[in-house]
Each structure stands twice: as C-alpha cells, then as structure tokens.
Amino acid sequence: MNRRVHIPHAAITIVTFLFLGMVTGVLLFAVVDARAETTAEEGCPRIGLVLSGGGARGMAHVGVIQVLEEMKIPISFIAGTSMGAIVGGLYAAGMSPAEMEKVVTSMEWNEAFKDKPPPSELTFRRKKDAVEYLIDIDLGFKNGKFQIPKGLLQGQNLNLILKSLLFHTEGIDDFDKLNIPFRAVATDIETGEAVILGKGELVKAIRASMSIPALFAPVEIDGKMLVDGGIANNMPIDIARQMGADIVIAVDISTKLSSRDQLTSSIEITDQLTNILVQRNTTSQIKRLRAEDILITPDMENISSGDFFKAIEAVRVGRKKAEEMKPHLARFTAADADYLAYLKVQRHIDREMPVIDSVEVVNKTSLPTGLIDAQIDIKPGTKLDLSQLKRNINRIYASLSRWKNHGDRIIFALVWGWKIVSRDRANTL
C-alpha cells in the first residue's frame, strides 16, 4: 500500500534555508592518461587552494580562481567542501575558469534540484502530478510502518549534470592522479566526523560533500552514510596542509551568524543552528593559517546560500575581493614558461568518447531487469553519446515511477548513472 504525501509550493522556502552547500555506478574509461603531478619546481612553494562551503555563495570561488590564473599563480593542491568541492573538483579535473563561469551562470538550477525527468519522459499520471504539486514525497508502507526517503531529493538530475561535466575523470579512482591533486570533505552522519575523500569516483565524492541533510539523501561510500561536509570541516585547511601545501590560499564564503533581531521565524532559527556548527569549525580551521598564508573573504552580504540565480553577481564578488588581495598574492606569481607548463597539465582533458561494445544492466532491485532494459536504446558498436544516455536514464527513472511497493520490498529507484568497464579491450556500458 502506497500513500503519497504532497508538499505545497510554500514549503520549498524551508528547504532553501537549510543549504550548507550546493550545488551515478561508476564510469571507468578504458584508457587512463598518465597525468603529470602539479608540484612546483624545486625552490618554489607548493600552493594549496582551500574552498569552503556555503551554497550558492560558493560560486564566488570561480571569480577568485579567475584572478589567480590572471596573476599566473599555479595551484598544487585543492581541498574543498560542499560547493567548494564542486568548483574545486571541476578545476582539478581540467575545467578552465571561463568554462566554470559558463556552467554556473547558464545552469537551470530549478532542474538541477529536481529528481523528476523532463515532462516528455513522464507518464500521463506523473505529468498531472507535476502540474498540481511542485514537490511530492512518496510514502511507502512496510511491515506495519510508514517509510519516507532519507532526503526530499535523491539528486538524480544533479548526478546527471555532474556526470556530463566530469565524464572524462571516471577512469581515475585516485584523486592524486587528477590534473591537480584534490580532496573533498563529507560528514559521516552516524558519527559526525569528517570524512576525507581522495579515492573512488569523483562525481560521487562531490555529491557526498554537498549532500545537504534533509534536502538530499545521504550518499553511501565504503559503508558510511555521508552528508554535507560543512557540518564537520567547512574550511579544510588542515587537509591541504596534509596533502603537502607549503602555502595555503583559503577562500571563506560561509554564512555568518544572524543577530537577534534577524531571528524572527522558525526558518531563521533552524538556519542559525546549522550556521553555528559551520562557523565553529570554520573559525577553528582559520586559526591554523600561518603568517605567509592568504585568506580571501568575499563580501557576500547580498547573496544567501540559496541564491543560485545570482551566479553572475557571486562570480563578480569573488573577483572583486581577489583583485583587492593582489598585492598580497603577487609574490606567488610564476614565470611565464613555468605557468604555461602548469596550464598544459591543468587543462588536459581527454574528450574522446569510447565505443560501446556491449550494454549490460546491473539490477540490484527486485524489479524485472526487462523493465529497465526496455528503456535502453544504445546500440553496441556506437560511440558513447551523453545526450542519448541521459535520455535513457531519464526513461528508466520515469518508468520506475520513484517509490514502488514490490512484494514486501519498498524500492526507491535512484539511477546513480553508468560506468564503462574495459574487458579484453572491449568497452561494456
């Protein structure tokens, strides 16, 4: 027996204020490029870039990186939390600041924070529901008890977006082998301890780092239920140092605590509780900075953690503050030849799509495999087409219609995505 609980449009506001950080299997390419380590030459300091979480405010990180590149400052290590993990992961994987700005300013955030496929992939019943309710939660009934999901969203669309941006990294399971060594920080929801992610699938690590409790369901990695890293270590300065950084450039875009006269509703009170946790560990990390390190704190007063439609302004604010810090940053400027060598490594992206030799469905539910297989129209012998693959996954997701009561099991159909495995020189999707 399934019962659906519908949440009205107004309830979305509550979710927005809970944001700590923003904004599939595993794709493994057959060919893994040897990547040069981005360590500075002898005598030059190795710089670690630390990017904090803060939801939409984290788009300011893009503006900061733009200025660092304009000043020819090479980055040897990156550690990020939540939105900082997204921006840091993209840069570590080879994306340019201009490309990152285009991503954050052109993305349809309404679609990113939905689980549902496009209307064209929905059944008539689901289309009708989508018109009547902006968010719906399916409530299952099992063993005499109602069950609800562990988050309002499973992150289906966000997974697909990150997968499409980072498909070229999925053959790399050691983040030290990215163009720039990288770490993402998540929180173990069972213990409250920080979990440092430096191996595995990059997309999954990023998703775990920004899995805002109650909004997104936790991401399971190595048997741990992981949520947004901002709760445990929002500014991972210590991690950059452990990676080998001689100098740390830290960017703090966390939300400051509200004053008493601003705490006028349950929403503000709840948000304040979250911010207290974040600010305590952020302050603790900032105290680790040394005299030679740099702290960049963009003026984010007019941008909240949920203001994803202020991307252009956020990037501009990040640029402005970094430009103000130029006198302090100038000592890290590299020689032209050295910086060109750095960019050659940082910008390296293998965009060649692999040829799919066979397609397999790994079904870990009790649903018939044929139900899933029928939604896939990718033909062996053709190159991987990300647009086609996304349509296939959307169809699978739509066909499963989210919660299903199948026998005595309740199944939530989250399609984490896909992976390509090389077997005897053949690529299996």
Side-chain angles (χ1 to χ4, degrees), residues 9-35:
H9 186 285
I12 302 285
T13 306
I14 296 177
V15 174
T16 300
F17 280 87
L18 291 176
F19 268 55
L20 286 175
M22 178 244 168
V23 146
T24 83
V26 182
L27 166 67
L28 298 175
F29 284 109
V31 179
V32 179
D33 294 318
R35 300 181 185 273

Side-chain angles (χ1 to χ4, degrees), residues 361 363 365-375 399-400 406 411:
V361 174
N363 184 5
T365 76
S366 59
L367 293 171
T369 299
L371 176 65
I372 302 172
D373 191 57
Q375 313 304 320
S399 70
L400 297 178
H406 195 75
I411 300 165

Side-chain angles (χ1 to χ4, degrees), residues 71-179:
M71 295 186 69
K72 298 184 176 65
I73 298 176
I75 303 301
S76 297
F77 311 99
I78 300 176
T81 298
S82 197
M83 187 62 177
I86 293 179
V87 174
L90 292 175
Y91 189 59
M95 190 171 286
S96 72
E99 290 171 322
M100 289 192 291
E101 181 177 16
K102 183 177 180 179
V103 167
V104 300
T105 57
S106 63
M107 186 179 295
E108 296 184 6
W109 294 104
N110 273 343
E111 296 303 315
F113 295 119
K114 288 181 181 178
D115 279 335
K116 292 181 178 179
S120 61
E121 305 293 349
L122 296 174
T123 63
F124 175 78
R125 170 73 179 276
R126 290 294 174 182
K127 288 179 181 178
K128 185 173 183 292
D129 289 345
V131 171
E132 293 178 353
Y133 306 97
L134 186 56
I135 282 186
D136 65 274
I137 296 178
D138 293 311
L139 188 64
F141 189 77
K142 178 183 178 183
N143 297 330
K145 296 180 180 180
F146 286 103
Q147 294 189 357
I148 60 175
K150 295 174 182 176
L152 291 178
L153 299 173
Q154 300 298 301
Q156 172 69 12
N157 283 349
L158 189 56
N159 286 338
L160 291 175
I161 290 170
L162 291 174
K163 273 286 195 180
S164 65
L165 294 173
L166 293 167
F167 74 91
H168 59 283
T169 69
E170 301 295 341
I172 302 173
D173 58 8
D174 182 347
F175 299 168
D176 283 340
K177 295 180 180 179
L178 294 170
N179 298 4

Side-chain angles (χ1 to χ4, degrees), residues 28-54:
L28 298 175
F29 284 109
V31 179
V32 179
D33 294 318
R35 300 181 185 273
E37 294 183 1
T38 54
T39 55
E41 63 183 38
E42 188 175 356
C44 296
R46 295 171 299 177
I47 298 173
L49 180 63
V50 176
L51 305 177
S52 78

Side-chain angles (χ1 to χ4, degrees), residues 132-389:
E132 293 178 353
Y133 306 97
L134 186 56
I135 282 186
D136 65 274
I137 296 178
D138 293 311
L139 188 64
F141 189 77
K142 178 183 178 183
N143 297 330
K145 296 180 180 180
F146 286 103
Q147 294 189 357
I148 60 175
K150 295 174 182 176
L152 291 178
L153 299 173
Q154 300 298 301
Q156 172 69 12
N157 283 349
L158 189 56
N159 286 338
L160 291 175
I161 290 170
L162 291 174
K163 273 286 195 180
S164 65
L165 294 173
L166 293 167
F167 74 91
H168 59 283
T169 69
E170 301 295 341
I172 302 173
D173 58 8
D174 182 347
F175 299 168
D176 283 340
K177 295 180 180 179
L178 294 170
N179 298 4
I180 301 175
F182 171 74
R183 297 291 185 273
V185 180
T187 302
D188 185 336
I189 195 61
E190 291 186 271
T191 67
E193 297 296 321
V195 176
I196 312 307
L197 301 170
K199 294 183 183 296
E201 181 192 358
L202 181 60
V203 168
K204 201 168 188 178
I206 290 173
R207 271 284 290 108
S209 182
M210 51 71 59
S211 189
I212 302 98
L215 178 65
F216 285 111
V219 175
E220 185 168 339
I221 297 179
D222 296 333
K224 297 178 179 179
M225 292 177 59
L226 303 182
V227 297
D228 194 295
I231 301 172
N233 190 347
N234 194 53
M235 177 79 84
I237 292 169
D238 57 336
I239 305 307
R241 201 81 73 188
Q242 290 171 19
M243 294 174 73
D246 302 310
I247 298 292
V248 169
I249 297 176
V251 187
D252 179 17
I253 48 83
S254 60
T255 302
K256 307 308 177 186
L257 297 181
S258 300
S259 60
R260 180 171 181 170
D261 60 349
Q262 294 174 309
L263 302 174
T264 58
S265 72
S266 59
I267 295 174
E268 278 83 12
I269 295 294
T270 302
D271 199 40
Q272 182 84 333
L273 289 173
T274 297
N275 290 335
I276 287 172
L277 294 174
V278 173
Q279 280 300 314
R280 281 182 178 175
N281 71 66
T282 298
T283 300
S284 175
Q285 286 291 321
I286 288 175
K287 289 179 180 179
R288 295 173 179 267
L289 291 173
R290 302 167 182 168
E292 63 270 22
D293 296 329
I294 302 290
L295 176 62
I296 300 175
T297 309
D299 180 7
M300 310 297 291
E301 183 177 353
N302 296 321
I303 302 175
S304 75
S305 59
D307 285 334
F308 287 94
F309 296 100
K310 292 186 177 181
I312 295 176
E313 182 180 352
V315 173
R316 179 186 59 78
V317 169
R319 277 194 63 93
K320 182 175 183 295
K321 188 62 179 181
E323 287 171 346
E324 292 174 3
M325 299 294 291
K326 279 185 174 181
H328 304 283
L329 292 166
R331 57 196 163 103
F332 304 126
T333 296
D336 288 349
D338 293 336
Y339 197 73
L340 285 175
Y342 162 78
L343 284 182
K344 185 176 181 180
V345 173
Q346 190 277 326
R347 292 289 198 274
H348 177 76
I349 295 180
D350 183 359
R351 299 185 185 274
E352 181 67 22
M353 290 296 180
V355 173
I356 303 303
D357 297 292
S358 62
V359 179
E360 294 181 7
V361 174
V362 179
N363 184 5
K364 295 184 179 181
T365 76
S366 59
L367 293 171
T369 299
L371 176 65
I372 302 172
D373 191 57
Q375 313 304 320
I376 302 172
D377 60 12
I378 297 173
K379 304 299 183 184
T382 61
K383 280 193 174 184
L384 177 65
D385 183 326
L386 291 177
S387 296
Q388 181 188 21
L389 183 57

